[in-house]
């Protein structure tokens, strides 16, 4: 059993079998922190513990952008509670293609990655001035 501190100051018990599951729940629920072993883990530290904190991974597209690794794709699917088939339907590609990216077979395009990040609520949709 884990305890999550919510942004309004309340506390919620998390019935998770593993620490990683509790960290994912912290991210999903947009909690303020998760109590682990007497210490509090905030969302950025939770992302780091889950392997989703590589520099530039959650940033907007730029010439230095590097595609996610298979491990990062697999973890994002877990955070978003998506199967590869569901993720594929969400972004308009076959589920087999998502499975290949999750298995380090090819590079996931930025647009697909960004849509999945938005779906998982790890980033906000960009508001661009298109002048």
């Amino acid at each position: 059993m884990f305890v999550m501190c919510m942004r309004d100051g309340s506390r919620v018990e998390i019935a998770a079998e593993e620490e990683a599951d509790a960290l994912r729940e912290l991210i999903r629920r947009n909690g303020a922190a998760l109590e682990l072993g007497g210490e509090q883990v905030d969302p950025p530290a939770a992302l780091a513990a889950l392997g989703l904190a590589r520099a530039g991974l959650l940033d907007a597209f730029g010439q230095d952008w590097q595609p996610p690794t298979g491990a990062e794709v697999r973890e994002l699917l877990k955070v978003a509670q998506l199967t590869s088939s569901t993720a594929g339907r969400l972004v308009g590609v076959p589920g087999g293609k998502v499975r290949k990216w999750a298995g380090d077979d090819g590079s996931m395009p930025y647009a697909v990655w960004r849509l999945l990040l938005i779906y998982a609520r790890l980033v906000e949709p960009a508001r661009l001035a298109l002048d």
Side-chain angles (χ1 to χ4, degrees):
M1 191 70 63
F2 298 90
V3 176
M4 181 171 30
C5 303
M6 302 305 289
R7 296 191 185 278
D8 66 1
S10 64
R11 296 164 50 88
V12 176
E13 287 189 3
I14 303 289
E17 292 184 23
E18 297 181 18
E19 184 177 306
D21 293 328
L23 293 169
R24 291 181 193 109
E25 197 61 27
L26 171 68
I27 301 301
R28 284 184 203 117
R29 293 191 190 187
N30 194 27
L34 184 70
E35 293 181 358
L36 290 177
E39 295 188 22
Q40 291 194 345
V41 176
D42 63 5
L47 286 173
L50 293 171
L52 292 173
R54 178 171 50 91
L57 187 63
L58 306 181
D59 293 349
F61 185 77
Q63 63 184 15
D64 294 334
W65 184 76
Q66 295 293 314
T69 65
E72 291 165 339
V73 172
R74 289 189 301 275
E75 187 55 48
L76 178 61
L77 293 176
K78 288 177 187 176
V79 169
Q81 295 180 304
L82 292 171
T83 64
S84 55
S85 296
T86 305
R89 284 196 312 273
L90 181 68
V91 298
V93 300
K97 189 70 172 169
V98 176
R99 280 188 290 283
K100 284 184 177 188
W101 293 325
D104 278 324
D105 185 6
S107 297
M108 180 179 274
Y110 173 79
V112 171
W113 177 248
R114 191 68 177 189
L115 284 172
L116 292 174
L117 289 175
I118 291 167
Y119 180 82
R121 294 188 178 112
L122 293 181
V123 299
E124 293 289 323
R127 305 285 188 244
L128 301 176
L130 300 175
D131 297 315

